[in-house]
Amino acid sequence: MSLGKNIPHDSARGHVTGESVFVDDRPRHQGELLVLPIGVPAAAGKLKSIDVASALKVDGIRGFCSAKHLAHNRWGSIVEDQPILVEEDIGYFSEPAVLLVGQTHEALSRAAKLVRFQIEEAQANLDIEQAIEKGDFLYTANPFVTGNAEAALAAAAHKLSGVFECGGQDHFYLESQASIAYPLEEGQIEVHSSSQHPSETQRVVAEALGLNHHQVVCVVKRMGGAFGGKESQAAPFAAMAALVAKVFQEPARVVLSEDDDMMMTGKRHPFKNFYEVGFDEEGRILGLKARLYADGGAYLDLSPSILDRALFHIDGAYYLENAHIEGFVCRTNRPSNTAFRGFGGPQGLMTIESICEDIAVFLGKDALEVRRLNCYGVEERNRTHYGQIIAHNTLPDLFKSLEDKCHYRRRRDEINEFNKSSIGKVRGLSVTATKFGIAFTSRFLNQGNALVNIHLDGSVQVSTGATEMGQGVNTKIRQIVAHAFGIEPAMVNVMATSTEKNANTSPTAASSGSDINGAAALMACEKILDRLCWLYQNILAGTPINDNQECPPFDVKSLRRADFNFRGGQIVHVPSEKEMGWQELVQLAYRNRLSLNDYAHYKTEGLAFDKSKSKGKAFAYFTTGVAASEVELDEWTGQVKVLRTDILMDLGRPINPGIDEGQVTGAFVQGMGWVTTESLKTGERGQLLTHSPTTYKIPNVQDVPREFNVELIPSDTNTQNIARSKAVGEPPFLLSASVWTAVKDALRYRHPGKVLTLRSPATPEEVLMVHLSTK
Amino acid sequence: MGAPGFAVRGDEMTERFRYLESQPIEIDLAEKKLLIPTSIEEAVRLKHDQPLLRIVSGATDLGVLHNKGKQFLDEALVLNRIPMLSEVQRRRDGLWIGSMVDLSRVEAEVRTEVPELGRLLRIFASPQIKHQGTLVGNILNGSPIGDTIPGLMVLEAKLCLVSASGERWVNLVEFYKGYKQMDIRPEEICTGILVPKLAQEWAVRFFKVSLRKDLDISAVTFAGMFRIDGSRISEARLALGGVGPTVVRLLEVEKQLVGQEFTEASFATAGETAIAKISPISDLRASADYRRAVTKNLFTKCYHEIQNEVQA
């Protein structure tokens, strides 16, 4: 019985001892080459020539590769619009244009300084406003329309209009983009990549080199963090390694420095959202009109799906009877912004959470009251603005329960008192929610496959398309398989992800890794279990099984599957209570030539979203939760301290509650960084200036809320998903909005009745300047 | 001696390590050179002969530049085998901190003498960095936002510089001449810093304002020391970092404060005077406007914190 148990993460020990192997830990082969991509020193214009002559003279440099060496120089998950290496048109500052190839890092660093580019620089477009003005959009979403927003606004007792603006965010994975390519015989390539999407990495590598897909294998053992940054953007770096491997016929390694990684890869999309909201005397939202503008960067990447998800999540946890939501992806001269935990959801949700806070200020009410008033209902007011009914809605209960558990009322009174007498410090408290739709909004991605091999000692190897990035998908799959076979989790190993075992897989993304791949693994287990039950059924029926006679061929019609179960390392025939040991059964199956291996394909059922109308069932289910955060602002410096956060989530029946709690706390703190200190700054020419931890500030251990309570509610209604669990990777990220709204709440005490425009992140500077400007 | 580790007894091995530790090291390859002397005289001689030789102590800054390939440490002089440089001494005239003393130790040592400096060091950096980095390194790096500098400036700390021609002392207040320009000659070595003992009771406040509260490089740093007789300020010392090319001592503002009533108004006026005298820039850490606004506010914050302390 492994489901629901807190077994340790399968790499917990290895990560601590250093035994875990990441791409750059792989031993270097003799002759292996290091590859350093060099980016262009301009954000826009034309690249005329690259002079590597002096660079090549540096000791230890073996050569270079450029766009000319590539068979196919375009990639992209949705549209192939992005070059792997710049040919002529420059999309963004530091866009890779040439690969230096050498034997040591030092040689490459010295040579890098000697590469000269001849560029006709053009004016770079670096902001959303400019793109809006020019109408320079990479993608325009099909609007989400429900009811009649125009009429509702006209009729509403009160109206507010405003802008919500949020910044980007660097993924800041500890392991940068990394790939090693090994040239094999007959032009084949094996590439080990830190990639969330081995199938796409395989495809991009093959196409870049002019190979068929079957000539390339992509292997992913694990990633040292990814967060979406390695969903699409791992592929071009793998292609660079593969190109050098092909040209030089030696293994080739690309491991970006943190600085290069930050400068060369896309981030979370900054958004600028304009809205108009109408509401009644009590604060009930009657109509919402919004236009969402995302900074897509230079190329399309995954921006359309990310923008769509922002449109899907602009409702937050609140019922919108009348809404008209539009969305645009702006083209700018920045690296293509890309997937990042939440995938546009946070940028949509923050808008409505900000609106809730403002309505409360405007009406002089407590913001939690406004939220509870607008919260989706269980039986009514439970249809989203895209027409999906929220089944088994736990949001009203979560709000109520958290209000009690965190002593919201008492603490509100205490904060009121504190703020009255305090000098230089002001506190705020706010509750926000998450209702994250689970499924890829591109329907075809909601599929996965798994391979399960039982060996003769009864131990099991499982391979799926899921990639392990620290989130614990391997551990969960291990538990699912061990549970199915009724054996100890230690008897199951989840193997490195490889495209030769699992092909045509989806990225490990959209929080769906365990859902999809766990379900596929279980299906493969079930197929084997059927045969094992068949065998035992025949043994119990007295069919002689010996060297002369074999178990009759498997016949599903005669199988009484329900009579058997697997637990404690035994197969049990329930009616007779007869048992046989797992290992013995496995060996008998082998001797009877019954396959101990199987493969299964899974697809998420019941999705029915009509993109042309923006209506229908887009998601299999929702993961919900609420958070209450209390902050203290230093009124003299604008610095924000998170004093306490309480989180309550509905994660169904967690497969591994410990791992899920880790995901909740990790996502929340990562989100806190996005809404407080993580600030990306770009120079006038479009170069990223905050490209290292010296200037780019993720939260550290001292920033974790002083008091941090996480609780999961008992919930077993999610029949939509494997073992009634719920996806967890992204949903809690959105709860970090509570820190930002708590900052707004704190400012409210010093500016009563005034609707303030606060941008995210609420850096000390942003907070102080808003505080001072409205005094 | 037999095979390492097996034939040698523990104490013999320790002794052998001790001996090895007391020996100077000189590694001179074609392109790289590492010199580790064991006496200050030897170090001074090396610096005299090769004034461009870079002294590396904690390498918390230079190490990063090297790793990033921005500045290669092809030649380095390391002073960690000179025992006297790692000493902390309580002298009659103050607290002496040798140039190789790491920040963790400083944090622990100053707790009684200058608790405010200890408090600042707590949020200065992670334990790993503080075990590695040195106080004198922070000073000699010459950054206008060196976190320890304003505090040491108002404490009127002095640096001891030695060279083949002898020893000289420089007040920290006079040490910085311009952005990353300091009153130290290439052939000189700083052996440590003396933090004078405070004769009377002072109210001391050091602030560090950064994007992230802990372990971040500051946008603005503030140090203020005051003696309050009755209701009046009888002495004041003020220094600011992050508001110009070097950390600055605000002598005029100090003069203005002396004799004033110890009130919020006096500090607010001082803050106004201070921001008229500084020329902060906008950079990645903060805009000039924010730096000015914060600087002004820190005077008020300082007043209130001292006021609370007095009341408590």
Side-chain angles (χ1 to χ4, degrees), chain A residues 106 110 113 259 423 634 636-637 639 677 681 689 692 694-695 697-698 700 702-703 764-765 768-769, chain B residues 32 68-69 72 74 209-212 214-217 284-287 289-290 293-294 297 300-301 304:
Chain A
E106 193 173 324
R110 290 186 198 268
K113 296 187 178 78
D259 293 63
I423 298 170
D634 183 317
W636 287 305
T637 63
Q639 285 172 306
T677 55
K681 294 200 170 140
L689 300 173
S692 86
T694 321
T695 46
K697 300 297 167 183
I698 64 165
N700 59 28
Q702 292 90 343
D703 297 308
E765 176 156 356
L768 188 68
M769 290 329 216
Chain B
K32 301 200 191 260
K68 290 190 175 187
F72 291 104
D74 290 338
V209 180
S210 48
L211 177 53
R212 186 175 62 201
D214 296 75
L215 328 190
D216 192 2
I217 298 160
L284 296 180
R285 310 203 187 278
S287 70
D289 287 347
Y290 176 73
V294 163
N297 283 350
T300 325
K301 183 180 166 90
H304 282 286

Side-chain angles (χ1 to χ4, degrees), chain A residues 307-327:
Chain A
L307 177 70
D308 286 347
R309 193 167 275 269
L311 267 62
F312 277 114
H313 286 81
I314 189 139
D315 59 338
Y318 314 108
Y319 175 64
L320 300 176
E321 195 174 355
N322 300 288
H324 188 105
I325 318 295
E326 295 169 88

